Amino acid sequence: MATQTTASCTGSTLLQPLSEIINLPLDQVNFVACQLFALLMAMWFRIYLHPSKTSPFIRHVVATLLGFYLALFCFGWYSLHFLVQSGLSYSVMIFAGLEHMHKYCFIVTLGYLIVCQITRVYVFDYGMYSADFTGPMMVITQKITSMAFEIHDGLAKKESQLTPNQKYLAISRMPSLLEYLSYNCNFMGILAGPTCSYRDYMAFIEGTCYQARHQENANGKENGKFKQSEPSPKNDVISKLCTCAISLAVYLSLYKLLPVEYSIDDYFVKSTPLYLQVIYLYLAMLALRPKYYFVWTLADAINNAAGFGFNGYNKDGSPRWDLISNLRILDIEFATSFKLFLDNWNIQTALWLKRVCYERCPVNPTAATFLLSAMWHGVYPGYYLTFVTGIGMTMAARAVRHNIRPYFLVSDSHKLVYDVITWACTQVAISYTVVPFVLLAVGSSLKFYSSWYFCLHLLCLLVVLALPVKSKRRQAKEQQENQQKDSQSDPSTDSNCNQKDKTS
């Protein structure tokens, strides 16, 4: 209740009467109020501080000061951690050598985040979700570490060592302190993100974000008639605000009726048939997801209202405002594979994990990526149980896709049957995997898994052993070796086309 969580709120108490009227915790009321205020400021920022009317310096200053104000309103003196974390990391960037700067910065930034998470969980209040000042720090950690790797790519590596995407994101000069703070703590993303690249953020501040940009799915219309005028985000902002309203209404209506904790209730486990337990678990997770839909979609709408997030044009010429979107709701709810679900959930975090870990880790990048994700999320044991389970789920899903899916592609009807089955399996697997993420504690998490007899863990193990699949890196390496053998055996075929195939 609101009165019970007031003491744990470290931010402003100005909205305490409203918190008591609507019977919601004060920290949640402060968060929503600040995001709505940020939405209004974003529209003002786009109209009155447009790049054509003011300098990048003014835009940086205003965005940073508004961000600090929102942080103070929500978290009080705890928001100083944002400055300390940013200051320590910037010092590493300035004084450490370029060769190892990105590694030191990664360790310092992530280490400071973990220390704050440990003190918040084990010193102050275990299981406390209110006044969680480490939430914004998680986004800042993503931004700082991404920037460190991008600076290293731009200043310490040759272009031949970089992938096309790394070349696009590489930073060729050290950002100033104002640019650095504006990128980390601007009012559009200080509370809920999403993460964005430094290059894209600077293009937004300088007003060059509507120019043709690097993207793999460009359809060629950016250079045509659709690019003559600056696109308006109005329709997308309205659409996303409607999605927020629906998500919030669904969450407030269902989350108390379908608590995940009920799935480990002794009476429920003993008296309920297994198929009903499966259905209840799916519905409980379905009722929980709209909370994230609301938070992330509202954050996306705020950035769009400020003019940030333009990502080219659709085939019909309408502007796309999904450059920094964090989810695709329909693709999540109708995902037919574990990977497809993860690719559309918390998209910017997945991109961060890919850019700083998966693409750069020399040994077992999948396991390393899941481990980093668990460390970044926090220190609750449930997080680690979820991501360790996720490793097995990912490997099993990959094996099934490579070995079984081809047999169902012979006709549309066979593929439809395969999609329906894999959709149901994916939803059950996701629900089963993330239960510890919600329950947090080891005891309750193991109680849930034991009530299911660890059946999906054992099934994943059997699938991985019975249906081995080569890693993508190994497949690419073998393909490259085969191409080299072919070119050596028949040099006359080593034409320009073959050279392009090797490069791709």
Side-chain angles (χ1 to χ4, degrees):
M1 297 299 185
T3 56
Q4 293 174 334
T5 57
T6 302
S8 63
C9 181
T10 58
S12 172
T13 58
L14 179 66
L15 300 179
Q16 176 63 38
L18 178 61
S19 172
E20 295 175 351
I21 292 173
I22 63 178
N23 199 30
L24 282 177
L26 178 58
D27 64 293
Q28 295 180 14
V29 174
N30 283 349
F31 173 83
V32 175
C34 284
Q35 287 294 76
L36 294 178
F37 175 76
L39 179 65
L40 295 176
M41 289 297 98
M43 292 185 285
W44 171 82
F45 191 84
R46 179 174 178 268
I47 296 172
Y48 294 100
L49 292 183
H50 192 273
S52 63
K53 299 179 181 179
T54 187
S55 66
F57 175 82
I58 298 298
R59 284 167 64 84
H60 278 306
V61 170
V62 173
T64 307
L65 292 179
L66 284 174
F68 286 148
Y69 172 74
L70 295 180
L72 284 170
F73 191 93
C74 277
F75 305 106
W77 69 268
Y78 281 106
S79 57
L80 292 177
H81 286 292
F82 308 162
L83 285 177
V84 174
Q85 184 187 34
S86 299
L88 288 174
S89 302
Y90 192 71
S91 300
V92 173
M93 291 182 185
I94 295 297
F95 296 109
L98 282 176
E99 184 178 358
H100 300 291
M101 174 270 294
H102 58 302
K103 298 178 183 177
Y104 298 150
C105 192
F106 182 88
I107 294 172
V108 169
T109 308
L110 185 63
Y112 191 86
L113 171 65
I114 293 174
V115 169
C116 289
Q117 289 172 332
I118 291 174
T119 57
R120 187 188 70 83
V121 171
Y122 294 107
V123 176
F124 294 105
D125 188 1
Y126 188 92
M128 177 185 69
Y129 276 111
S130 59
D132 184 4
F133 66 96
T134 61
M137 290 181 66
M138 294 166 68
V139 179
I140 294 174
T141 298
Q142 290 182 344
K143 291 183 176 181
I144 293 173
T145 52
S146 296
M147 177 186 286
F149 278 94
E150 290 161 8
I151 292 174
H152 180 260
D153 289 342
L155 299 179
K157 282 188 174 182
K158 298 179 181 179
E159 284 195 3
S160 59
Q161 298 175 291
L162 305 176
T163 66
N165 192 55
Q166 289 171 350
K167 289 179 184 179
Y168 169 75
L169 296 174
I171 301 173
S172 57
R173 68 171 180 84
M174 188 67 68
S176 68
L177 181 59
L178 176 60
E179 292 169 339
Y180 175 80
L181 291 176
S182 175
Y183 171 61
N184 288 334
C185 304
N186 63 80
F187 73 97
M188 301 171 295
I190 183 66
L191 298 182
T195 299
C196 61
S197 72
Y198 176 77
R199 185 184 181 101
D200 289 335
Y201 180 74
M202 289 300 295
F204 156 71
I205 290 293
E206 295 170 359
T208 61
C209 56
Y210 303 113
Q211 299 176 2
R213 61 183 301 277
H214 167 81
Q215 54 181 1
E216 296 177 1
N217 57 346
N219 53 44
K221 295 198 175 184
E222 291 185 38
N223 296 323
K225 61 181 180 180
F226 302 122
K227 187 178 173 288
Q228 299 302 317
S229 60
E230 181 178 313
S232 171
K234 181 179 69 173
N235 292 337
D236 286 78
V237 171
I238 293 174
S239 174
K240 289 174 182 178
L241 291 179
C242 291
T243 301
C244 289
I246 296 172
S247 300
L248 184 62
V250 171
Y251 173 70
L252 293 177
S253 302
L254 297 180
Y255 85 102
K256 287 185 178 180
L257 297 177
L258 298 166
V260 178
E261 292 77 8
Y262 189 61
S263 61
I264 60 173
D265 180 77
D266 292 333
Y267 176 77
F268 174 80
V269 173
K270 292 179 181 179
S271 62
T272 307
L274 181 60
Y275 74 94
L276 289 180
Q277 292 186 41
V278 174
I279 294 174
Y280 179 84
L281 180 64
Y282 167 69
L283 293 177
M285 290 301 174
L286 187 66
L288 191 63
R289 287 198 286 268
K291 175 178 68 173
Y292 298 95
Y293 295 164
F294 168 76
V295 172
W296 288 338
T297 305
L298 180 56
D300 195 17
I302 292 169
N303 282 272
N304 292 168
F308 187 25
F310 177 69
N311 195 25
Y313 294 89
N314 296 307
K315 292 181 180 180
D316 61 357
S318 59
R320 292 170 51 198
W321 289 89
D322 61 352
L323 176 63
I324 55 175
S325 295
N326 233 348
L327 51 85
R328 303 183 188 96
I329 296 177
L330 292 181
D331 290 336
I332 290 171
E333 298 301 339
F334 294 100
T336 56
S337 70
F338 201 84
K339 180 181 183 300
L340 191 60
F341 187 100
L342 297 180
D343 286 345
N344 294 286
W345 173 270
N346 207 351
I347 297 171
Q348 301 307 316
T349 294
L351 285 175
W352 170 71
L353 291 168
K354 176 184 176 182
R355 291 168 181 171
V356 304
C357 183
Y358 188 85
E359 293 180 342
R360 303 175 190 268
C361 183
V363 180
N364 203 340
T366 299
T369 302
F370 273 100
L371 178 60
L372 173 59
S373 183
M375 295 173 63
W376 174 78
H377 274 91
V379 293
Y380 289 112
Y383 295 162
Y384 290 84
L385 287 174
T386 286
F387 287 106
V388 168
T389 303
I391 296 174
M393 292 289 182
T394 301
M395 296 174 64
R398 187 182 299 167
V400 169
R401 183 176 180 84
H402 281 75
N403 291 276
I404 297 178
R405 185 172 182 267
Y407 294 103
F408 288 85
L409 299 181
V410 294
S411 67
D412 292 339
S413 59
H414 284 69
K415 187 178 183 301
L416 178 61
V417 171
Y418 177 84
D419 288 341
V420 172
I421 294 174
T422 52
W423 171 82
C425 293
T426 297
Q427 297 302 322
V428 173
I430 287 290
S431 301
Y432 176 89
T433 301
V434 302
V435 165
F437 196 94
V438 179
L439 298 180
L440 301 178
V442 173
S444 55
S445 300
L446 293 180
K447 183 179 180 180
F448 168 78
Y449 281 149
S450 62
S451 70
W452 282 54
Y453 303 102
F454 294 89
C455 59
L456 294 191
H457 286 85
L458 298 175
L459 180 61
C460 288
L461 180 61
L462 292 175
V463 168
V464 171
L465 293 177
L467 303 174
V469 60
K470 297 176 182 178
S471 67
K472 292 183 178 180
R473 292 188 178 185
R474 186 177 175 184
Q475 292 180 28
K477 184 178 180 181
E478 291 183 357
Q479 184 178 4
Q480 186 177 7
E481 290 176 351
N482 291 334
Q483 289 177 345
Q484 289 177 353
K485 290 179 181 179
D486 293 340
S487 63
Q488 290 174 0
S489 61
D490 189 4
S492 61
T493 62
D494 197 9
S495 61
N496 291 333
C497 293
N498 289 332
Q499 293 290 345
K500 291 181 180 179
D501 290 339
K502 291 178 182 179
T503 304
S504 63

